[in-house]
Amino acid sequence: MGNLTATRPPQPWTAPTASDPVAATLRLPGSKSMTARALVLSALAAGPSTLARPLRARDTELMAAGLRAMGAHVSISDDERWLVRPHPLAGPAHVDVGLAGTVMRFVPPVAGLADGQVTFDGDPYVRTRPLGPLVGALRSLGVRIDVTGTGSLPLTVLGTGRITGGEVVIDASASSQLVSGLLLAAPRFDRGVVVRHVGPPVPSAPHLRMTVQMLRAAGAAVDDSTPDVWAVEPGPLTGRGWDIEPDLSGAVPFFAAALVTGGEVTLQGWPHSSAQPVEKLRSLLQRMGGEVTLSTDGLTVRGSGVVHGLTADLSDVGELTLVLTALAMLADSPSVFTGVGHIRGHETDRLAALAREFGGLGADITETPDGLEIRPRPLRGGVFRTYHDHRMAHAAAVAGLAVPGVEVDDVGCTSKTMPEFPALWSAMVTGKS
């Protein structure tokens, strides 16, 4: 009987409806993107590193475990300060990527630097996520890779302890992580790397800028002055202390709550100079009716209680599409989002999932090849499926602020990037901690 109980599906979580404007000051976990990059750079450095206020969540724990499996000493016992001591990398090792695109795309180049065999696999859906361009690029740089199927997971990297490096051409239009994965390991390649992107525009450009910025902070020489070309010189990486910023993508649903309810939400600990696309977010939220300010208290968003629709190219900030779609459902005019065809290859086909699940709540929403068209009308409650996608749960929570009876089928999927989300959200909406 115990096994039957253990496999029972999770109970739906009813998203709380707001009866008053929210008023909250939050200190959220660290950025997933920064934590992942800092872990990789630290594992490849010449000396020890620390990560202050990192994100502890499924994705980052899988990253730490993958690097540890290859020999790096990664201590994550202290929530506030992780310690990484480099060590020669070797196989045999196995890396579970879960549903994490960062692990799937950042760790194979590292595995090429390991001496021995490293296998990769993850959750069933991750096998459909685009990885072929990275496999092809690594093979052109001399890395032996055995792939089962069409160029995605599962795969095996047969590392020799070194990668010659050189110039490589890649189509990274499916994900900027395909470029970042090569760049992060490139200082350890014998000849470094020159990556040339050929194809439609690379999405999520701010994440590439973050990669370059963090490489330089670790002592790497990076030239990104030519569009769609990134050159990294070979050389040692420096162990250092990394101060991880709060996660901007994780903050967006909380900021959205300020717009929906006419309230105010402050994210503490926000730096005045950020590696994340805060100016793009500021512009989008202001156009939708919010007021965004940065002070010594943190990053604050205030809403009037009226949300405006907008037409926007979200190619740089595809992660925000899901919560912005929930806002658009509650707006006073239609919205059109473009430039996000690539998010069909994220944790799920996010455009199809948004259209299907919000459509089930009565929304008038249409998929386009690279985005969504949204015409607001009254919504009703109902079950909202997440497809194991944390951002889908965030979107449902935002809609639930104004629509009673929105039931999220698996709010536990938010543990991917923010295990505390259900408790933080409920405390913000109800005013009870």
Side-chain angles (χ1 to χ4, degrees):
M1 293 298 290
N3 286 339
L4 290 174
T5 301
T7 57
R8 192 175 293 162
Q11 292 296 307
W13 177 75
T14 302
T17 302
S19 56
D20 297 295
V22 299
T25 299
L26 305 167
R27 181 172 287 278
L28 294 183
S31 160
K32 177 190 76 170
S33 300
M34 291 191 72
T35 302
R37 286 161 174 78
L39 283 170
V40 172
L41 291 170
S42 299
L44 296 175
S49 297
T50 57
L51 282 67
R53 295 172 298 279
L55 170 67
R56 177 184 292 280
R58 188 186 185 213
D59 279 17
T60 54
E61 289 182 335
L62 288 171
M63 178 70 81
L67 296 169
R68 192 184 298 117
M70 289 185 287
H73 296 173
V74 186
S75 173
I76 62 172
S77 56
D78 183 344
D79 284 345
E80 292 297 310
R81 186 173 179 272
W82 291 2
L83 174 64
V84 182
R85 289 192 179 94
H87 195 266
L89 303 175
H94 176 70
V95 177
D96 177 5
V97 312
L99 271 174
T102 48
V103 181
M104 182 175 80
R105 300 185 181 115
F106 292 0
V107 182
V110 177
L113 294 165
D115 186 5
Q117 176 175 297
V118 183
T119 59
F120 291 80
D121 204 357
D123 294 2
Y125 182 80
V126 82
R127 295 182 178 187
T128 69
R129 299 190 70 176
L131 190 59
L134 178 63
V135 171
L138 287 171
R139 282 174 169 165
S140 74
L141 294 172
V143 180
R144 289 180 58 204
I145 302 177
D146 289 342
V147 180
T148 303
T150 58
S152 191
L153 297 178
L155 61 80
T156 301
V157 177
L158 304 167
T160 61
R162 58 188 291 263
I163 297 176
T164 303
E167 186 165 332
V168 64
V169 176
I170 188 171
D171 179 355
S173 57
S175 174
S176 65
Q177 292 172 353
L178 298 165
V179 174
S180 287
L182 292 168
L183 300 185
L184 289 167
R188 291 282 302 273
F189 298 174
D190 294 346
R191 294 166 47 202
V193 80
V194 176
V195 179
R196 296 183 184 276
H197 162 69
V198 176
V202 180
S204 304
H207 284 102
L208 274 172
R209 289 195 288 271
M210 179 189 292
T211 297
V212 170
Q213 180 178 322
M214 293 182 70
L215 274 163
R216 288 172 175 156
V222 187
D223 182 355
D224 63 344
S225 59
T226 302
D228 290 334
V229 179
W230 300 264
V232 180
E233 295 293 328
L237 292 169
T238 305
R240 51 159 293 161
W242 296 100
D243 289 322
I244 308 299
E245 299 175 8
D247 195 301
L248 187 63
S249 295
V252 171
F254 297 91
F255 290 153
L259 270 65
V260 172
T261 67
E264 178 175 319
V265 173
T266 296
L267 175 60
Q268 290 182 318
W270 189 257
H272 277 268
S273 177
S274 172
Q276 299 177 82
V278 65
E279 288 306 318
K280 179 72 171 182
L281 175 63
R282 181 200 299 265
S283 172
L284 291 165
L285 292 181
Q286 287 176 339
R287 291 172 62 193
M288 297 192 87
E291 177 188 339
V292 184
T293 57
L294 178 61
S295 69
T296 54
D297 295 330
L299 189 63
T300 299
V301 177
R302 299 178 184 86
S304 65
V306 177
V307 180
H308 305 312
L310 79 167
T311 296
D313 179 344
L314 302 180
S315 56
D316 277 357
V317 287
E319 284 282 310
L320 309 187
T321 305
L322 294 85
V323 165
L324 294 181
T325 297
L327 278 175
M329 299 289 168
L330 307 174
D332 60 2
S333 59
S335 295
V336 178
F337 298 143
T338 59
V340 287
H342 63 283
I343 70 172
R344 294 185 182 279
H346 282 196
E347 283 79 346
T348 185
D349 180 338
R350 286 176 161 173
L351 298 181
L354 287 167
R356 185 181 304 119
E357 297 310 307
F358 277 123
L361 303 184
D364 183 358
I365 177 171
T366 303
E367 287 181 71
T368 66
D370 75 335
L372 296 166
E373 297 175 353
I374 302 146
R375 292 158 292 275
R377 67 185 187 190
L379 302 180
R380 58 179 178 268
V383 175
F384 190 100
R385 292 174 293 175
T386 63
Y387 308 92
H388 310 295
D389 186 340
H390 56 143
R391 305 293 183 207
M392 287 290 288
H394 294 167
V398 171
L401 292 167
V403 182
V406 175
E407 295 188 346
V408 182
D409 74 334
D410 178 20
V411 77
C413 67
T414 56
S415 65
K416 184 178 193 294
T417 50
M418 194 186 300
E420 312 93 329
F421 177 79
L424 285 172
W425 188 263
S426 295
M428 176 190 67
V429 178
T430 64
K432 301 174 184 178
S433 58

